[in-house]
Amino acid sequence: MARFFDRDGLRHALLARGERLDWPSWLGFWPATFLFFSIACGELIYNGTATLPSVTGSALLVYVAVNAIAGLVVGADAWVAGGEVFSVLWSTWGRLGWFRFGAPGRRGFFGGLDVPFEPSVSRITFVLLLLVSVSFDGLLSTPVWKTQVARLPDALLPGTTLFQLFETAVFLFLAAFAWLLFGGFAAAVRAAGRLEITWRETLAGLLRSLLPISFGYLIAHNADYLAINGQLLIPLLGNPGGWAGVHLLPSPFDDSYVLNPNLLPSAVLWYAEVALIIFVHIAAVVLAHRYLTRKARAVRQARRAEWPWIVAMVGYTMTSLWLLAQPVVQETSSSTAKTSAAALITPAAAGLTTPVAGP
């Protein structure tokens, strides 16, 4: 849409000028960052409203208009590079892929990470939001969060507008905390290795090691969700339009298909998540090592610089695994409770009068 409206003739007709406006340097990646934050809030906080067909349709129409106006005013290339959220998101994830398709970097997995991220506040914030959004989603399902929510005053009951605003504030706080945390470790890396660059340039260089973690955590966090809800594609293959009496494929590719919630057993899911998280964290340490080896003046200084970042990686690994374990722990505890309840109820149902010893 931006490229369709990026025409000199349209600019002459609508704006009385043929030249595009320059993309201001202060704007950076803020439009894409703001849009990503809005989409994440719509998914995690305002999901009940954002998924209404009327709201989704209106949002899409507004986004079409935004892209058209941006293409008309600043041009499609500038808008796609720093403003269009999906283009910025795919170009960020694309640094991990094998093929480059003309993008900077070498061909091969993680080849795009040879090119450092721009050391601007907006670009760093966008990449950190990729981490924070998934961590925040995991936090919402933990018993700790639910316990704290239960202690909130009545004005902040879940489902109310005030509670949604409270969750939004928590999301913003986590983003700010990620800035302080990783920014602090980047400053420690710079000091330990005596690097001749600023702490923000150090953080931007180390972001390449955070990207595999955010992608691996995104896959691990949503694996169970995709395994269960992805089964909905099976009946859709037999009747993609939901037309009455239409059966393009035989059973189970129709409405007779029943979802299997145990397609991925908890043990299989957990060990696969652990393996994936450990792998991406090892990749992160290797990428950080390569970066610091190039930036440090001597091997000894590079090794000293690695220690603060290794501490950060170990801490984040522990946090990631704890967040991933919470749904598994809850499911296991729920199953154990049901089994215990059945063991206690069965003798009474059978007419036995002897008390059953319990814990």
Side-chain angles (χ1 to χ4, degrees):
M1 189 58 63
R3 295 193 185 283
F4 178 81
F5 278 84
D6 185 9
R7 302 173 186 271
D8 293 339
L10 281 176
R11 273 188 286 272
H12 272 297
L14 300 176
L15 304 178
R17 57 175 299 162
E19 297 179 355
R20 309 178 187 92
L21 293 179
D22 293 331
W23 186 266
S25 58
W26 59 265
L27 195 56
F29 291 85
W30 284 121
T33 302
F34 173 77
L35 288 168
F36 181 82
F37 179 80
S38 301
I39 292 172
C41 287
E43 176 194 355
L44 303 176
I45 301 173
Y46 305 95
N47 185 270
T49 302
T51 54
L52 293 175
S54 59
V55 176
T56 304
S58 300
L60 288 173
L61 289 176
V62 170
Y63 195 59
V64 166
V66 169
N67 279 272
I69 295 172
L72 183 68
V73 176
V74 299
D77 291 337
W79 171 246
V80 167
E84 206 284 304
V85 59
F86 298 104
S87 298
V88 176
L89 180 63
W90 305 145
S91 66
T92 304
W93 290 135
R95 289 171 177 255
L96 303 174
W98 180 274
F99 299 102
R100 302 307 309 137
F101 298 108
R106 62 175 173 81
R107 188 173 181 177
F109 290 117
F110 305 123
L113 296 176
D114 288 349
V115 181
F117 286 105
E118 178 184 322
S120 63
V121 176
S122 58
R123 187 57 166 140
I124 295 173
T125 303
F126 185 90
V127 178
L128 288 178
L129 277 177
L130 300 182
L131 278 173
V132 174
S133 60
V134 185
S135 299
F136 178 62
D137 190 13
L139 177 65
L140 295 180
S141 62
T142 62
V144 174
W145 172 260
K146 295 177 181 179
T147 301
Q148 296 302 319
V149 167
R151 296 175 180 175
L152 293 174
D154 293 340
L156 291 175
L157 288 176
T160 62
T161 302
L162 282 178
F163 180 75
Q164 292 175 332
L165 293 175
F166 168 73
E167 287 186 312
T168 305
V170 172
F171 193 7
L172 286 171
F173 169 79
L174 289 178
F177 180 74
W179 249 105
L180 293 174
L181 180 66
F182 290 110
F185 276 107
V189 167
R190 176 177 176 270
R194 298 179 181 178
L195 305 183
E196 297 178 343
I197 53 178
T198 65
W199 70 269
R200 202 167 73 185
E201 290 174 329
T202 305
L203 177 58
L206 291 171
L207 281 181
R208 69 188 73 194
S209 66
L210 293 179
L211 195 62
I213 297 175
S214 61
F215 189 69
Y217 188 30
L218 180 68
I219 294 175
H221 180 75
N222 293 289
D224 192 31
Y225 178 86
L226 292 174
I228 296 175
N229 291 275
Q231 297 175 57
L232 294 172
L233 292 173
I234 295 176
L236 284 175
L237 290 174
N239 189 359
W243 303 294
V246 174
H247 302 285
L248 301 180
L249 296 172
S251 179
F253 300 98
D254 53 29
D255 291 338
S256 65
Y257 182 82
V258 179
L259 291 180
N260 180 11
N262 297 315
L263 185 65
L264 285 179
S266 297
V268 174
L269 179 66
W270 169 245
Y271 287 115
E273 289 175 349
V274 170
L276 178 60
I277 291 298
I278 292 176
F279 170 75
V280 295
H281 276 81
I282 292 175
V285 172
V286 172
L287 290 169
H289 167 77
R290 292 177 179 175
Y291 169 73
L292 294 174
T293 302
R294 292 194 300 267
K295 288 299 179 181
R297 291 177 294 179
V299 175
R300 185 177 180 180
Q301 292 179 344
R303 290 176 178 174
R304 283 203 308 263
E306 290 180 21
W307 284 107
W309 201 247
I310 289 176
V311 172
M313 293 296 96
V314 171
Y316 193 71
T317 303
M318 294 168 60
T319 304
S320 301
L321 292 176
W322 180 79
L323 289 173
L324 288 172
Q326 297 309 300
V328 179
V329 171
Q330 286 180 308
E331 179 181 339
T332 304
S333 300
S334 177
S335 300
T336 304
K338 290 178 181 178
T339 304
S340 301
L344 291 172
I345 293 172
T346 301
L352 297 179
T353 58
T354 304
V356 179

